[in-house]
Amino acid sequence: MNSPKVNMSIQAAKKVNGLADPTKPFSSFMKYNKNDLEVTFHFIKAPAMTTFLKDKVFSMIKDNMMETYKKCPWGWNGKNKRAELFHKDASDNSLAAFVHFRFDVENLIEVLYLYEIQIEKNVRGKGLGKYLMSLLETMAFHYKMKRIVLTVLKSEVDVVKFYFSLQYEIESYSPEDAFYYILSKKKKTLELTKN
């Protein structure tokens, strides 16, 4: 039986996951136009995605991450990755990039759990990753989540540095001897600005 605090966390995550579009209050921020890159974001829950879009998203993660996964103990399992990506509560924002997240309970508290942020190679280095992270951060704290949590492979040194630069910290329950870190952020520090 769960404690009242855990039940409250579960209910908080379920409430936000039940929204048709949790990005609606942030509609004015669903465009990115900077550094010769113009992108419009669309929120789509995984069950509503077309087969074409699912294939495009899966192809992006395969191109960006398959070799990295093969080198770590998790290995690459396309079937499992596809199941995780298209879970009924998963959300993806665009084709030039996609963000896969859920409002969930982690370590007994309500969180926005970032499963994936993938950016097409040809649009990297233009500030899109930081902008997407600021949008996620704004959403998480708007919906009263206690943290943003993510897992990052230690071998992805530049990605780890990126998260540290955004003031993410190693979680106390992140296994020290693992090939990955569990990182989190407990308060909003990025300012979401229209561009």
Side-chain angles (χ1 to χ4, degrees), residues 61-69 76 116 118 153:
I61 195 167
K62 186 176 175 183
D63 290 348
N64 288 349
M65 297 300 299
M66 185 171 70
E67 292 308 314
T68 301
Y69 273 91
W76 173 257
E116 300 283 345
Q118 296 292 328
L153 299 174

Side-chain angles (χ1 to χ4, degrees), residues 112-144:
L112 183 154
Y113 203 106
L114 175 60
Y115 286 85
E116 300 283 345
I117 181 168
Q118 296 292 328
I119 299 173
E120 283 284 359
K121 291 176 179 148
N122 64 336
V123 298
R124 290 182 188 167
K126 296 179 181 275
L128 183 58
K130 184 175 180 181
Y131 186 81
L132 288 169
M133 292 304 295
S134 68
L135 180 59
L136 289 171
E137 186 175 303
T138 301
M139 285 177 39
F141 297 113
H142 171 83
Y143 290 116
K144 312 260 187 281

Side-chain angles (χ1 to χ4, degrees), residues 14-183:
K14 278 186 178 180
K15 181 180 177 182
V16 183
N17 276 328
L19 295 174
D21 181 358
T23 66
K24 194 172 185 173
F26 314 102
S27 60
S28 62
F29 298 101
M30 297 297 283
K31 290 183 187 257
Y32 181 84
N33 188 356
K34 202 174 195 178
N35 300 323
D36 296 322
L37 178 64
E38 188 173 333
V39 179
T40 301
F41 307 121
H42 301 278
F43 177 86
I44 304 171
K45 287 197 174 202
M49 294 174 71
T50 65
T51 301
F52 173 79
L53 185 55
K54 286 180 180 181
D55 289 345
K56 190 91 169 143
V57 167
F58 185 74
S59 178
M60 187 186 302
I61 195 167
K62 186 176 175 183
D63 290 348
N64 288 349
M65 297 300 299
M66 185 171 70
E67 292 308 314
T68 301
Y69 273 91
K70 282 181 177 179
K71 294 174 188 171
C72 78
W74 286 333
W76 173 257
N77 184 318
K79 184 178 178 182
N80 288 349
K81 181 50 74 177
R82 198 176 264 281
E84 175 188 293
L85 282 170
F86 305 118
H87 182 277
K88 67 180 179 62
D89 291 331
S91 304
D92 300 280
N93 279 3
S94 79
L95 288 176
F98 77 88
V99 177
H100 169 211
F101 65 94
R102 283 200 290 254
F103 296 95
D104 213 340
V105 175
E106 176 77 10
N107 206 33
L108 306 178
I109 61 169
E110 57 272 27
V111 303
L112 183 154
Y113 203 106
L114 175 60
Y115 286 85
E116 300 283 345
I117 181 168
Q118 296 292 328
I119 299 173
E120 283 284 359
K121 291 176 179 148
N122 64 336
V123 298
R124 290 182 188 167
K126 296 179 181 275
L128 183 58
K130 184 175 180 181
Y131 186 81
L132 288 169
M133 292 304 295
S134 68
L135 180 59
L136 289 171
E137 186 175 303
T138 301
M139 285 177 39
F141 297 113
H142 171 83
Y143 290 116
K144 312 260 187 281
M145 298 294 110
K146 303 288 190 252
R147 296 183 186 163
I148 298 176
V149 179
L150 59 93
T151 302
V152 62
L153 299 174
K154 290 178 180 178
S155 63
E156 294 290 304
V157 176
D158 289 339
V159 178
V160 172
K161 286 179 185 176
F162 170 73
Y163 289 123
F164 284 162
S165 77
L166 300 179
Q167 300 180 8
Y168 280 76
E169 298 174 347
I170 299 172
E171 266 290 352
S172 60
Y173 58 89
S174 184
E176 286 185 28
D177 58 348
F179 58 93
Y180 60 89
Y181 293 118
I182 298 173
L183 302 180

